[in-house]
Amino acid sequence: MKNFMAANWKMNKTIAETREFLRDIIPSVKEVTDVDIVIAPPFTALSAAGDAIGTTNIQLAAQDIFWEEKGAYTGEVAPAMLLDAGCKHVIVGHSERRQYFHEDDTVVNRKAGAAQKAGLGVIFCVGESLAERESGKTFDIIRREVEKGLEGIDAGNLVVAYEPIWAIGTGKTASPEQAQEVHAFIRDILRKRYGETAEDIRILYGGSVTPENVKSLMACQDVNGGLVGGASLKPDSFAKLVCYKKEK
Ligand code: 13P
């Protein structure tokens, strides 16, 4: 299975900074063929990023999507607009969207459905909070988010990301054992839903991934890539994550 390494820039980088990042990183990852390399800039930089990426081996993702095709939805961005800007994927259900913008499983599911219908790959995020983990609810939360969020969603072009909320931006990474335990659990739910195809669905880990810990996380059987925030903002650091096999 080809690994998948995605940069989620969140609310960072201007158009000029996006161009600069791409100018720097393209030469250092151009030989990479065994990893899908994905960057998700903010909406305002998507089009410029799409132009800068051109026909290189980097793929573009959006950080969010709306499910309607067009019309009176002030502030929203439609699936066709993301395709127009050059996107191949979209992140759906990130914990920051769930937490700050009150997106529930129904909203996340509608977004995933609209993205797939338009031909966009879905990077579907799930994860428990610290309080949920400490009260032993991790598996209940993950099961609910996966089952409800993926209702009616096909396995094709689907990537799942496990991002424990307590590990996001905190420097507190899940241990490889903690990550593998949840990834195996997610794989099992996917097997029940999709059968054998579930073996081909990439399950990414996200939450304080760095060039120092990437290799041990990627060594886990059911960890097939990463979704990276902080460490994806600098070209040299993200290039190291993409080329993690060479890291010590
Ligand atoms: P950090 O890598 O900054 O912890 O962010 C993870 C994340 O939320 C990626 O979507």
Side-chain angles (χ1 to χ4, degrees):
M1 183 189 306
K2 198 170 176 180
N3 269 31
F4 192 103
M5 194 59 71
N8 175 11
W9 287 352
K10 309 190 180 186
M11 200 170 70
N12 293 289
K13 292 199 194 292
T14 60
I15 293 172
E17 287 164 346
T18 299
R19 289 202 179 107
E20 195 186 337
F21 177 98
L22 287 165
R23 194 195 58 216
D24 290 351
I25 201 165
I26 287 170
S28 38
V29 300
K30 71 173 194 297
E31 312 290 343
V32 175
T33 53
D34 58 348
V35 178
D36 278 321
I37 311 168
V38 178
I39 62 156
F43 284 135
T44 46
L46 282 177
S47 175
D51 289 345
I53 282 170
T55 56
T56 65
N57 58 346
I58 299 179
Q59 302 169 39
L60 193 61
Q63 297 175 20
D64 191 19
I65 187 170
F66 191 55
W67 54 78
E68 295 290 347
E69 284 173 21
K70 59 164 80 169
Y73 302 100
T74 303
E76 293 302 318
V77 179
M81 296 170 179
L82 300 182
L83 289 169
D84 189 36
C87 292
K88 287 207 160 53
H89 312 267
V90 59
I91 300 171
V92 167
H94 193 281
S95 62
E96 287 150 17
R97 301 282 332 158
R98 294 179 191 258
Q99 194 179 344
Y100 304 136
F101 305 98
H102 312 294
E103 293 192 7
D104 60 14
D105 295 318
T106 308
V107 164
V108 171
N109 179 252
R110 285 182 87 168
K111 290 187 170 188
Q116 263 200 344
K117 190 167 159 230
L120 287 157
V122 173
I123 305 170
F124 173 79
C125 308
V126 297
E128 83 288 0
S129 67
L130 185 59
E132 287 159 351
R133 173 162 282 261
E134 287 179 342
S135 56
K137 294 200 191 111
T138 299
F139 295 104
D140 291 344
I141 299 290
I142 301 296
R143 179 184 294 286
R144 193 206 74 222
E145 288 183 341
V146 174
E147 286 184 347
K148 292 204 166 159
L150 292 182
E151 235 166 71
I153 303 301
D154 296 336
N157 225 353
L158 171 68
V159 172
V160 177
Y162 169 54
E163 298 206 312
I165 297 168
W166 48 270
I168 296 178
T170 58
K172 200 169 177 278
T173 321
S175 67
E177 295 73 24
Q178 283 173 321
Q180 172 56 28
E181 188 184 27
V182 177
H183 281 231
F185 179 76
I186 293 172
R187 180 90 60 205
D188 251 354
I189 304 174
L190 298 175
R191 270 188 202 114
K192 287 190 189 101
R193 177 166 300 224
Y194 301 118
E196 274 178 26
T197 323
E199 312 306 329
D200 301 328
I201 299 176
R202 271 85 60 93
I203 308 179
L204 317 180
Y205 168 79
S208 298
V209 176
T210 64
E212 288 72 41
N213 61 31
V214 64
K215 211 170 177 180
S216 61
L217 287 160
M218 296 306 130
C220 301
Q221 190 185 343
D222 290 295
V223 178
N224 316 115
L227 182 55
V228 189
S232 77
L233 292 170
K234 295 224 168 70
D236 58 335
S237 154
F238 188 58
K240 282 185 184 163
L241 296 176
V242 168
C243 306
Y244 70 89
K245 286 180 188 151
K246 293 189 196 134
E247 290 298 297
K248 284 197 206 83

